[in-house]
Amino acid sequence: MGSGTDDVALVRGTLARELAVAGEDGDAAWVARLRAALDSLRRCVEDGRADEVLPLAEDLVAALAEVADRDPGSGAGELAEEALAVHAAAARAAGVDRRRLAGWLVSLQLDHPEGPEVSLVEYAGVLGSEGLAEYRRRAEELCAELPTVPFGQPPRLDRRRWAVLRLVEELAEHTGDVDLQVAVLAKDLSTGWQYLRIATVLQEAGRSEEVLRWVERGLAATRGRGAAARLVDLAVDECLRQGWAERALGLLRTAFQRRPGLDTYLRLRAVAEPLDRWPRERAALAAALEWTDTPAAGGEPTRADLERGSALVRILLWEGDHEGAWRVAQERGCDEDTWSVLAHGRADTHPEQALTVYRRLVERRLAEPRAATEQVPELLDQLRVVADRSGRPDDFTHYLDEVKTRHAADRELLDALIQRGF
């Protein structure tokens, strides 16, 4: 084939001809011819002609990536990956400008997010500390320019954003840099689970103070919902691991005030009792469950008061004060799930009360625009059991017939009742 220089020039000519007809051909034979040219370039690198191959490989990677972008089924994407491997081999063997190489790798990923995929492992040796520092500088600048998705907003899905985040994420994985991991995750704060992911990364890195700061931010964003319980658990575990019992109590107290519930109540009790703090903490929690504004006669409690009432009923049930729980439910109200739990617990001792609750829950479900075909049969089943226990099966039968008559046009509901044996 002549001299080494002629060999590289010949491959360049072959590649130019094949790429010129990529849109017209793109079949298996075209892929095979390009792969043979790539094999020639590999041999040129092995023969010591990496300096000549490197610029050609750069051009070839970009050209193949462009073909793959236009025609994903052409086979050019796989060829671009192979061309990038040739480029990496040539870069390792040739004398390169490390800062320029870093810039080229970053630009390649921005221009072609779908691939080829750059692996820093393949380039780490040739980049060295200088090249890697330049790569990181560019990556951090690009990441900083991206807007953060705020809580409650849908994530952004543009190609450039995805390319930048993938680039920084791969750099963080390669270097083991926690700050880079956090930087990537913090660009999407649309849900509480993102705050949890960030706090978990920081916890694994042993950065306790930052864990608590991100948990506090997450709790403020979620307002006690979604991932809030997991955030609190993680922060409390971290506080106890560090011996910060007072901070753990504060977190749990605040979490309970934001969204009262039995789980948080029990967790706070478990932390407070060894410190002989439970009586005082329990009094504070009881105060947090008081009415925010006593409803007028016949008025409906606010959503917040209904949430507090439900929490108090479940706490009293857990403590064994069933009469107190019933009294609170009657006076303050509670959510339907709590009413169901309460009725189940009173089925043996106060069947009349349980029957009243179950019938009310059935009627609420039936009153919805589309009757809940899964929940109504379940509630009716519970109602039947209580009616049988109380010696009033005929009352249940009459009520069931009445329900079927009133909803005769709802075939989906009637089918669900038949499947349940009604």
Side-chain angles (χ1 to χ4, degrees):
M1 293 181 64
S3 67
T5 301
D6 291 339
D7 290 343
V8 174
L10 181 60
V11 174
R12 180 182 289 108
T14 300
L15 292 171
R17 287 192 301 273
E18 295 299 338
L19 290 170
V21 298
E24 303 170 14
D25 196 344
D27 59 10
W30 177 81
V31 171
R33 291 193 297 272
L34 277 171
R35 184 160 286 134
L38 283 171
D39 288 339
S40 295
L41 287 182
R42 288 191 190 92
R43 288 193 294 272
C44 288
V45 172
E46 293 167 359
D47 291 343
R49 300 194 294 279
D51 288 337
E52 302 170 53
V53 172
L54 187 61
L56 176 57
E58 283 189 7
D59 294 341
L60 179 59
V61 170
L64 287 169
E66 288 177 6
V67 174
D69 289 344
R70 294 196 308 269
D71 184 3
S74 65
E78 185 177 345
L79 289 169
E81 297 283 354
E82 296 178 26
L84 187 61
V86 172
H87 178 269
R92 288 192 296 269
V96 297
D97 181 330
R98 294 175 175 180
R99 293 169 61 87
R100 180 188 174 282
L101 175 61
W104 182 82
L105 291 172
V106 169
S107 296
L108 176 67
Q109 294 172 84
L110 294 181
D111 294 340
H112 305 288
E114 286 78 19
E117 185 174 347
V118 172
S119 171
L120 282 177
V121 173
E122 296 297 321
Y123 287 95
V126 64
L127 282 170
S129 58
E130 179 187 9
L132 194 59
E134 175 66 11
Y135 189 96
R136 176 173 181 143
R137 183 189 68 78
R138 291 172 178 253
E140 288 179 329
E141 286 182 356
L142 289 165
C143 189
E145 292 171 359
L146 296 178
T148 298
V149 181
F151 184 81
Q153 297 297 314
R156 299 169 182 265
L157 300 175
D158 62 90
R159 290 173 77 248
R160 181 178 177 83
R161 180 183 180 88
W162 180 75
V164 170
L165 292 177
R166 188 181 70 167
L167 185 155
V168 180
E169 187 174 9
E170 203 264 343
L171 176 61
E173 183 179 342
H174 175 74
T175 60
D177 192 300
V178 174
D179 290 326
L180 285 174
Q181 288 181 269
V182 172
V184 172
L185 294 173
K187 286 300 173 180
D188 178 6
L189 299 178
S190 58
T191 71
W193 302 106
Q194 281 296 103
Y195 289 93
L196 181 64
R197 290 179 67 189
I198 293 170
T200 301
V201 167
L202 292 167
Q203 183 185 48
E204 291 171 352
R207 293 160 63 165
S208 302
E209 289 289 353
E210 292 173 80
V211 170
L212 299 186
R213 283 200 293 271
W214 275 100
V215 166
E216 288 167 1
R217 289 180 62 180
L219 292 175
T222 60
R223 298 182 180 180
R225 301 184 182 277
R230 292 279 301 277
L231 282 164
V232 171
D233 285 342
L234 184 145
V236 169
D237 289 343
E238 187 65 17
C239 285
L240 295 178
R241 190 171 67 85
Q242 297 293 340
W244 303 335
E246 287 294 334
R247 294 181 74 171
L249 286 173
L251 280 163
L252 288 164
R253 198 182 303 118
T254 300
F256 189 86
Q257 290 168 351
R258 281 179 172 151
R259 192 177 189 191
L262 178 60
D263 290 343
T264 308
Y265 179 88
L266 295 178
R267 187 79 196 272
L268 201 153
R269 176 175 179 170
V271 175
E273 281 189 330
L275 303 173
D276 294 326
R277 293 277 300 276
W278 178 236
R280 181 168 52 171
E281 293 294 339
R282 188 184 187 284
L285 299 187
L289 294 177
E290 293 298 321
W291 293 101
T292 56
D293 186 18
T294 304
E300 291 294 325
T302 66
R303 178 178 177 180
D305 281 328
L306 200 63
E307 190 173 69
R308 291 185 181 90
S310 301
L312 183 53
V313 169
R314 288 179 180 268
I315 288 169
L316 291 171
L317 286 174
W318 185 86
E319 292 181 339
D321 186 0
H322 296 276
E323 293 308 314
W326 178 257
R327 185 170 57 255
V328 169
Q330 292 287 92
E331 294 174 355
R332 299 179 52 170
C334 56
D335 60 43
E336 294 187 3
D337 287 342
T338 303
W339 271 119
S340 184
V341 170
L342 194 59
H344 181 76
R346 297 182 78 77
D348 291 333
T349 57
H350 299 79
E352 289 292 335
Q353 294 175 350
L355 286 169
T356 300
V357 171
Y358 281 130
R359 285 191 62 161
R360 184 167 68 242
L361 293 176
V362 169
E363 290 303 319
R364 286 180 181 175
R365 286 288 177 262
L366 290 173
E368 293 176 358
R370 185 179 184 84
T373 55
E374 293 182 2
Q375 294 175 331
V376 169
E378 174 66 27
L379 289 168
L380 285 171
D381 206 14
Q382 294 169 356
L383 183 60
R384 176 172 58 183
V385 171
V386 177
D388 288 344
R389 287 180 183 174
S390 62
R392 299 173 58 181
D394 290 343
D395 287 353
F396 171 77
T397 301
H398 293 153
Y399 177 65
L400 179 62
D401 290 341
E402 178 191 337
V403 168
K404 288 180 176 180
T405 300
R406 279 191 284 137
H407 297 273
D410 190 341
R411 295 307 310 171
E412 188 175 354
L413 174 62
L414 296 180
D415 288 345
L417 294 177
I418 290 173
Q419 291 176 7
R420 197 64 179 246
F422 294 125

